[in-house]
Amino acid sequence: MIKVLIVDDQTIVRAGFAALLASQEDITVIGEAGDGREAVRLAERGRPDVVVMDIRMPGMDGIEATRRILALPGTEGTRVLVLTTFDVDEYVYDALAVGASGFLLKDATADELVSAVRVVARGDSLLAPQVTGRLIREFTRQRRNRPQPPSELSTLTARETEVLVLIAGGLSNGEIARRLVVSEHTVKTHVARVFTKLGLRDRAQAVMLAYESGVVVPGGVNSTPAQGGSPGGSV
């Protein structure tokens, strides 16, 4: 069972999400919170697999709540799915930066919400296609004072760097396998090595790192990777 915590300051919204998700055979709703502080308290007690998190809330907002929840002992397996609308796009970047595994538009359909919870629960990231490209390109441009690329990038092989670029392009393991003409098992091995070497929690963090470090240039995720992988890497 996927344990879900729902966080939203609107009672009707929380109730609707709870009823929808609780009706699924593989999902159980372990709690509902109306603000960030309550969310942190319930997450510490219930250790949810997925937190469906609103951003704008009174008191502690969803950004700070996400940061605190993911810093709690025992929440290494917890994933945060942020709900957003176009008018709060600027917060999405910050949510991903503090560890959220993805985001979904608040006007998503019931099926999209259920699917999103399952995707995030299994460790994948989910970046709503309606806004992903626009957000990543726009807000990486605004980060003028980027830190230097992490030294760990130099430990990646050429193939691992290529896999990181494709992850940043939103490709699934299966799609990466077809693009590189290798088995999906091989891709999973490469992805695991990339995450381990770079200290990444999930694919959402991989996307952020790829853009911020310059491995991927905004507007050209399928372009040639920047320097970072060592030559001669092989499958």
Side-chain angles (χ1 to χ4, degrees), residues 18 22 65 90 106 109 144 161 167 179 184 217 226:
E90 66 271 20
K106 270 198 167 182
T109 66
R144 301 300 185 187
T161 303
I167 290 173
R179 178 73 64 88
E184 190 166 345
V217 178

Side-chain angles (χ1 to χ4, degrees), residues 61-193:
D61 64 19
I63 305 297
E64 179 62 15
T66 295
R67 187 188 68 78
R68 294 195 185 191
I69 287 172
L70 297 180
L72 290 170
T75 59
E76 293 80 5
T78 297
R79 300 290 182 262
V80 177
L81 175 64
V82 172
L83 297 175
T84 186
T85 55
F86 272 103
D87 64 330
V88 290
D89 278 351
E90 66 271 20
Y91 296 103
V92 172
Y93 188 102
D94 294 328
L96 293 174
V98 297
S101 291
F103 61 89
L104 191 67
L105 294 179
K106 270 198 167 182
D107 61 359
T109 66
D111 287 344
E112 287 172 339
L113 175 59
V114 172
S115 175
V117 167
R118 290 174 177 147
V119 166
V120 171
R122 67 174 179 252
D124 291 332
S125 62
L126 186 131
L127 306 178
Q130 301 95 319
V131 294
T132 299
R134 168 187 161 192
L135 280 176
I136 296 296
R137 287 192 295 270
E138 180 63 23
F139 293 107
T140 51
R141 287 193 188 103
Q142 293 183 16
R143 298 284 163 139
R144 301 300 185 187
N145 299 318
R146 294 177 183 170
Q148 291 298 313
S151 59
E152 291 82 358
L153 280 173
S154 64
T155 68
L156 299 183
T157 65
R159 177 46 59 91
E160 287 166 355
T161 303
E162 190 174 12
V163 168
L164 176 59
V165 169
L166 295 175
I167 290 173
L171 276 66
S172 67
N173 286 349
E175 290 168 334
I176 293 174
R178 289 191 290 274
R179 178 73 64 88
L180 300 181
V181 195
V182 297
S183 71
E184 190 166 345
H185 175 75
T186 297
V187 172
K188 289 180 179 178
T189 299
H190 285 312
V191 171
R193 288 174 178 166

